[in-house]
Amino acid sequence: MKVAGYNLGCKVNKYELDAILSDFEKDGFEVVNFDEVSDVYVVSTCAVTQLAEKKSRKYINRTKKMNPNAITVALGCYIQKEFNDNNKLIDDELLKNIDIFLGTKEKSKVLDLVKEELNTKERMVRTYDVTKLKEYENQKLIKCYDMTRAYVKIQDGCNNFCSYCIIPYVRGRERSRELSDIMEEINTLSNKGIKEVVLTGIEVASYGKDLDNISLIDVIEEVSKTSIERIRLSSLEQGIITEEFLERLSKVDKFCPHFHLSLQSGCDATLARMNRKYNTEKYFEKVELIRKYYPLAAITTDIIVGFPEETDEEYKMSKAFASKVAFSDIHIFPYSVRTGTVAATKKQVPLLTKELRAKDLQRTKYELIKNFEDKNIGDIKEVLIEQVVNINNKDYYVGHSKNFIKVLMEYDEEKELTNRIVKVRLKESLKEEMLGEILWED
């Protein structure tokens, strides 16, 4: 039998879906692309924005068009949100296209639930109160799909309750994975030939707060002792950036200096309304501390535009702060109302205003990307080749440097370089990537 999966969410969703597909493959299923006819479809949904929810519905509905007799499993944050709001899915069209409903729990049981569905042919709906979740649910990843780097989930849940965010309500409170389980998975992936791992979680910086005498830096140091060659981190809250953390981190040669440091706004008044735990002065101190240890680190972020009650002046302050920080990239999000959050009850910014601000900030984003890339021109970087792509009828190797610059390199059909680390001289800044020259070894 065949199984296909589609992920609409974050790196945590990506890990969870890959772990589910790993379970199926281990059981004898053939894992195929989502656009192929399959016996089972697993859709990992997202609720972070209205657009993410819309896409989740779209891909769920697509499964029955590809194979009306397939078993469709819908799981993740959007499904959990619908359970929270209504204790059922109110979209009748969506309802008839789902055979197994899961929220953000029991993802390790998907294979068993599908086997049960094959026998009973009865729709399954699994509901639960995520606020009562206290233990980390282990999944086992034996293979990553669609890319050469592997995401390794080490933490789940969030205690921050930012005023705009639905995630604590659909993921529950912070829970950490035992180090022994993390290391077992890392070694399995290394034995499979994976060279780069990304340690990820909903709030990965909080790792270990519910465990004894362990934190994120301890995990990084332990992973560095394995044969894995590169270690990355997913999105971080600024609070983890301290002199002690960076001093220990700087001794880990395998660490890739890319910090996705969540900002959300560069205006203190907006940050206060967001219920963020810092101001711009404190945030900038963290950025300066990072650059003390890693002068050419990639520092990327998320910024929300059009947050409730955001004035033109507040937006301009936010944009100016982004330029001051000199981010290497910005993920821009027009504010999306999340029912059940504090921000949803506040005075909303008109849609057109949000769109105009997003377009304006986009121009700043590309200026900052180019400025960062220009600083790296002429440098020799180690690049992990991830795939071959065709651009304007010409093939290129594509990979990332340790400081997360996307690099295009001239393709040589006689050399198979996928999943290899090569030395590359960076030559030219393009719009969102750089052109590089592979330094072939004699």
Side-chain angles (χ1 to χ4, degrees):
M1 298 185 74
K2 297 180 179 180
V3 61
Y6 196 88
N7 174 43
L8 289 130
C10 59
K11 294 178 177 67
V12 172
N13 271 18
K14 168 66 176 167
Y15 168 87
E16 292 169 345
L17 180 60
D18 279 355
I20 290 168
L21 295 178
S22 292
D23 289 340
F24 278 90
E25 186 171 337
K26 190 175 180 181
D27 197 67
F29 281 74
E30 179 187 356
V31 179
V32 299
N33 292 329
F34 188 80
D35 56 2
E36 295 184 35
V37 175
S38 183
D39 302 291
V40 181
Y41 293 98
V42 183
V43 182
S44 185
T45 67
C46 180
V48 73
T49 63
Q50 292 175 352
L51 179 60
E53 291 186 2
K54 181 179 179 180
K55 288 183 177 179
S56 296
R57 293 191 294 270
K58 172 185 173 182
Y59 281 93
I60 289 169
N61 291 332
R62 182 181 292 182
T63 63
K64 295 302 185 185
K65 295 177 181 178
M66 292 188 288
N67 182 4
N69 298 315
I71 293 176
T72 296
V73 184
L75 49 79
C77 293
Y78 170 55
I79 301 299
Q80 183 67 48
K81 175 177 174 291
E82 291 296 297
F83 286 154
N84 291 355
D85 291 348
N86 317 291
N87 202 31
K88 66 185 181 74
L89 284 166
I90 58 176
D91 188 325
D92 291 338
E93 181 68 24
L94 192 64
L95 184 66
K96 71 180 183 182
N97 286 332
I98 302 175
D99 301 290
I100 300 175
F101 299 82
L102 286 177
T104 54
K105 182 184 174 185
E106 296 190 309
K107 294 181 180 181
S108 60
K109 298 181 181 179
V110 172
L111 174 61
D112 292 337
L113 294 174
V114 167
K115 287 182 176 180
E116 186 178 339
E117 169 70 13
L118 287 169
N119 291 328
T120 64
K121 303 297 182 183
E122 294 182 1
R123 176 175 284 120
M124 297 181 198
V125 179
R126 314 281 282 214
T127 63
Y128 30 76
D129 182 356
V130 296
T131 64
K132 296 180 179 179
L133 296 180
K134 294 182 179 180
E135 295 183 358
Y136 181 91
E137 181 185 8
N138 242 349
Q139 291 181 270
K140 297 293 185 182
L141 180 64
I142 61 173
K143 182 178 179 180
C144 61
Y145 300 85
D146 304 328
M147 58 175 54
T148 55
R149 74 171 58 92
Y151 296 107
V152 175
K153 180 183 168 187
I154 67 171
Q155 182 274 342
D156 206 341
C158 181
N159 295 355
N160 289 332
F161 289 94
C162 299
S163 66
Y164 54 84
C165 187
I166 197 70
I167 298 305
Y169 303 96
V170 296
R171 282 279 179 174
R173 305 303 170 264
E174 294 169 352
R175 309 176 301 281
S176 302
R177 186 179 185 181
E178 292 289 346
L179 180 60
S180 58
D181 290 325
I182 297 170
M183 298 310 298
E184 180 183 348
E185 187 164 276
I186 292 284
N187 285 315
T188 296
L189 292 169
S190 177
N191 291 335
K192 294 280 186 178
I194 293 296
K195 289 182 169 57
E196 180 176 299
V197 295
V198 183
L199 303 180
T200 190
I202 298 300
E203 221 293 64
V204 72
S206 72
Y207 178 86
K209 289 183 179 178
D210 55 332
L211 302 176
D212 292 329
N213 301 316
I214 191 169
S215 64
L216 178 60
I217 188 62
D218 298 306
V219 179
I220 296 168
E221 289 172 343
E222 286 301 308
V223 174
S224 73
K225 297 174 185 177
T226 71
S227 55
I228 287 292
E229 297 183 40
R230 309 217 302 194
I231 304 167
R232 293 191 185 276
L233 299 175
S234 63
S235 179
L236 295 172
E237 289 296 322
Q238 55 79 37
I240 198 172
I241 304 300
T242 64
E243 193 87 44
E244 179 188 0
F245 177 81
L246 289 169
E247 186 173 341
R248 289 174 65 178
L249 191 63
S250 66
K251 294 180 172 64
V252 179
D253 292 337
K254 295 179 179 181
F255 174 70
C256 297
H258 169 211
F259 298 83
H260 189 82
L261 208 60
S262 187
L263 174 62
Q264 306 306 349
S265 175
C267 168
D268 288 341
T270 306
L271 287 173
R273 293 198 302 275
M274 289 178 167
N275 194 33
R276 300 294 283 175
K277 308 300 191 294
Y278 52 85
N279 57 26
T280 53
E281 181 181 3
K282 186 175 181 180
Y283 185 97
F284 193 73
E285 288 175 358
K286 304 293 186 175
V287 170
E288 294 288 271
L289 195 55
I290 289 171
R291 289 183 172 140
K292 172 183 171 182
Y293 287 87
Y294 299 100
L296 279 180
I299 301 179
T300 58
T301 201
D302 304 312
I303 293 180
I304 297 172
V305 296
F307 187 75
E309 302 176 7
E310 182 185 62
T311 65
D312 286 340
E313 186 60 31
E314 288 174 338
Y315 163 68
K316 290 175 183 177
M317 292 172 64
S318 186
K319 183 175 76 165
F321 185 72
S323 295
K324 177 182 177 180
V325 172
F327 291 111
S328 58
D329 198 358
I330 305 172
H331 299 168
I332 302 167
F333 297 93
Y335 170 75
S336 182
V337 175
R338 303 286 78 203
T339 303
T341 64
V342 173
T345 67
K346 304 300 181 181
K347 182 180 178 181
Q348 301 298 309
V349 173
L351 176 61
L352 179 59
T353 301
K354 289 191 284 189
E355 291 175 344
L356 290 173
R357 289 176 185 171
K359 288 180 180 178
D360 181 58
L361 188 57
Q362 195 86 359
R363 289 189 285 270
T364 299
K365 162 194 168 101
Y366 287 121
E367 290 174 4
L368 295 176
I369 290 174
K370 188 175 188 310
N371 291 343
F372 177 71
E373 291 181 346
D374 284 347
K375 291 178 182 178
N376 288 267
I377 289 177
D379 288 356
I380 296 174
K381 306 285 189 183
E382 290 185 343
V383 175
L384 175 61
I385 307 295
E386 297 160 17
Q387 60 181 325
V388 177
V389 300
N390 186 276
I391 302 175
N392 296 328
N393 296 318
K394 185 174 181 178
D395 288 334
Y396 294 90
Y397 299 113
V398 178
H400 283 82
S401 65
K402 290 184 77 172
N403 63 341
F404 212 61
I405 295 173
K406 185 178 180 181
V407 186
L408 303 181
M409 298 143 283
E410 188 171 340
Y411 176 67
D412 186 337
E413 62 182 11
E414 296 183 1
K415 292 183 171 65
E416 175 50 62
L417 297 183
T418 302
N419 202 35
R420 283 185 54 187
I421 296 174
V422 297
K423 290 186 177 180
V424 177
R425 178 177 285 108
L426 302 183
K427 297 175 60 179
E428 181 182 350
S429 172
L430 306 176
K431 187 173 184 180
E432 292 188 83
E433 57 270 320
M434 295 190 74
L435 192 63
E437 176 188 7
I438 296 176
L439 303 180
W440 302 107
E441 296 180 0
D442 295 333

